[in-house]
Amino acid sequence: MSEFWLISAPGDKENLQALERMNIVTSKSNLSYNTKFAIPDFKVKSLGRRKEVKGGLGKLNTYASSLIKRMAQSVAEVMEDSKGKVQENLLANGVDLTSFVTHFEWDMAKYPAKQPLVGVVDTLAKQLAQIETDLKTRTAAYNTLKTNLENLQKKSKGNLFTRTLSDIVSKEDFVLDSEYLVTLLVIVPKPNYTQWQKTYESLSDMVVPRSTKLITEDSEGGLFTVTLFRKVIDDFKTKAKENKFTVREFYYDEKEIKREREELTRLLSDKKQQYGPLLRWLKVNFSEAFIAWIHIKALRVFVESVLRYGLPVNFQAVLLQPHKKSSTKRLREVLNSVFRHLDEVAAASILDASVEIPGLQLNNQDYFPYVYFHIDLSLLD
């Protein structure tokens, strides 16, 4: 499963023994894979400031989660022709996301534990904000290019009534630069080919005999040329329509056709040139954003544990990976049973209205006697 539970309990002897009982029960019952989750000790002077940080971390967690989801979607959109390989490109520090989470180590170089907690949070927030700004700029440019290319390519799709004809016809199909003659393009339904050949010369006066030629056809009909005098165009169109022949409005402009073809070639080239650098940027910065998100999770556990269990800092964080979705209810029951004694501590603290108890909602089934956070990687699928 791509789901993790990040919990913590006080680090005293009684609760460390409770954690050991939890590991034994969950292992024997095959409920989850558990591992210690190392979080450094940050400078903590008072609980008051921790409550401020807590609120900011909640918002930052939501922001980071949304950002990495958008980045994963951007990777999928860029890799439109290789969507089956998207997951293998969503890595963190060069390893798959599950491995990174289960082997998490705090990055002291990026986020020094010696600096104030507020400073660490500010560093994470600025890092994610910069990634989002760059993401918007880079994807906007690529998507504009992609849209222009798709719009141009769409002209070459569809039936003979709607698609562009510039990539089908050639200069040799038309009488050009004539003061009197003009070549029209006519769509003829397939069942009416014979009728067209027999009648097109008589649909109007001044139609050039034997001037029709089949240029191309699709599943519904064919595109024929016919040459006639300019002054009978309107009459010919009217008679053609009466016989279920459709004259396509088309003017052969060699310069315009060349411009369209060059534009298509340029857009294809530009897209190819931007594809590699953009995908590399997305992979690198998805990794950075994901790593930042897990650090935020670690900070939330730290702050919630300090608020819940008090000072001095003494708690143990554990990462649980449920084996099956169907076993999560049983796993929750085991945890609630093992840490039931923490209820008394929490209940006593609630009597002091100035102390906030994270995760505690009386008479609510979402209350847990231990610090708990959820990490769901399925949002990136």
Side-chain angles (χ1 to χ4, degrees), residues 176-181 230:
L176 300 173
D177 303 322
S178 171
E179 182 180 353
Y180 301 104
L181 295 176
R230 291 182 180 276

